[in-house]
Amino acid sequence: MEAKVSADAMNHRKRILILYTGGTIGMMKTEQGYAPQKDAFHALLRRIPELYADSMPDWEIVDMDPLLDSSNITVVEWNAIGEAIARRMAEFDGFVVLHGTDTMAYTASALSFMLRKNNKPVILTGSQIPLCEIRNDARDNLITALIIASSDLVHEVCLYFGGKLLRGNRAIKYSADDLIAFESPNYPVLAEAGIEIRYHQAALLPPCRGGFSLQRLINVPIGVIKVFPGIQFELFDSIMTERLKGIVIETFGAGNIPRHANSLLPMIRKASENGTIIVVCSQCPHGTVALGAYETSSALKEAGAISGYDLTTEAAVAKLYYLFSRKLSDREIRERMARSLRGEVSIPPLPGA
Ligand code: ASP
């Protein structure tokens, strides 16, 4: 089922909080290249009359301090963004987070887990060309994100960019220079902004019951290892078995590792016994890990690794931070890793179930 909502049909006096974290959208030209500058960005916003139109929601903007190029984001900033939203959850109907594109999919994934039992639209957006440039994608992304944040249909953390609304924890940045820079390869687009905004209601999460709470994240040591032909896993031994608490292994295809990499299996076994959670994701953006489909992947499962199915690496990293921050037992983390918490993963049904 689909619902079309135009700006006119919308309840235009919704209250939306914009959190400005930095990123290209608000950057200005400096001698060292583009850099965020808060006063200049606010001045540019004041010069967009559409933002003050009657059909737009009422909005307020809060700047995060310091404003960042999103390459510098850490769990400290994720906690600050989460806290800024949680503090004003009752006051506002929706939230727009202005963010750099480089790590937007990570932040969207992290917020989707941190904002527990969230029912309000939290829309991350940014741009490839700053608002200060004559030709830019910032203006449209911001205006449409504000309209979507006023929608009664959205109850989750999303990423809006270049005409597409995506589930935040399903999104990946796939282009460094296209204006349509994000994709959600394993989940349908939640809405498309053409002449009208067309929501695909069946793909959206329903509202959840229970009270909202914020889970702050702890900077748990987490690593991502990308498999490549000839990889010498033994070089990773000490970090895998002693230092990291969570590891995402980006394997070939459906979860395959090179056969010569026998040293990996005892390492996975030892790491798992030490309480390290090892999640198997794929280097292919589209499709799912199916441990056991090939001989080259069966051993991973036997050694104690967990299938990430079609989780993006971004969502796998964020989910590990979240689960470790909840101080759950080993068994509870493994159990939650293997199911969908916020629509982040498509778990195939059990045979015969
Ligand atoms: N480096 C910038 C950032 O992620 C890129 C962007 O916003 O598009 O903050």
Side-chain angles (χ1 to χ4, degrees), residues 120-149:
K120 297 197 175 169
V122 176
I123 315 297
L124 283 90
T125 195
S127 68
Q128 294 278 54
I129 310 175
L131 188 60
C132 67
E133 297 293 348
I134 292 176
R135 202 183 135 261
N136 71 70
D137 55 334
R139 182 187 161 283
D140 276 3
N141 283 347
L142 171 58
I143 289 175
T144 308
L146 277 167
I147 293 170
I148 292 171

Side-chain angles (χ1 to χ4, degrees), residues 13-135:
R13 284 299 146 196
K14 290 271 181 75
R15 283 176 45 74
I16 308 300
L17 182 70
I18 302 176
L19 289 174
Y20 173 39
T21 70
T24 294
I25 190 164
M27 290 189 184
M28 302 290 154
K29 261 195 192 119
T30 70
E31 276 170 17
Q32 288 77 41
Y34 284 121
Q37 277 178 23
K38 125 178 150 187
D39 294 338
F41 180 56
H42 285 213
L44 284 174
L45 292 180
R46 283 195 291 275
R47 280 194 248 142
I48 304 179
E50 291 85 346
L51 286 176
Y52 303 90
D54 283 349
S55 55
M56 288 296 284
D58 269 342
W59 55 270
E60 260 173 50
I61 184 163
V62 167
D63 302 309
M64 303 306 286
D65 188 20
L67 295 172
L68 291 179
D69 183 301
S70 78
S71 322
N72 297 320
I73 217 113
T74 67
V75 296
V76 172
E77 288 76 29
W78 287 345
N79 285 337
I81 299 169
E83 279 159 17
I85 294 174
R87 257 198 310 278
R88 295 166 180 92
M89 191 46 100
E91 222 184 302
F92 289 90
D93 300 298
F95 299 85
V96 169
V97 180
L98 300 181
H99 197 285
T101 58
D102 288 340
T103 59
M104 197 187 292
Y106 285 94
T107 301
S109 298
L111 289 174
S112 77
F113 295 113
M114 295 166 71
L115 304 175
R116 301 182 67 203
K117 307 256 171 77
N118 166 48
N119 272 318
K120 297 197 175 169
V122 176
I123 315 297
L124 283 90
T125 195
S127 68
Q128 294 278 54
I129 310 175
L131 188 60
C132 67
E133 297 293 348
I134 292 176
R135 202 183 135 261

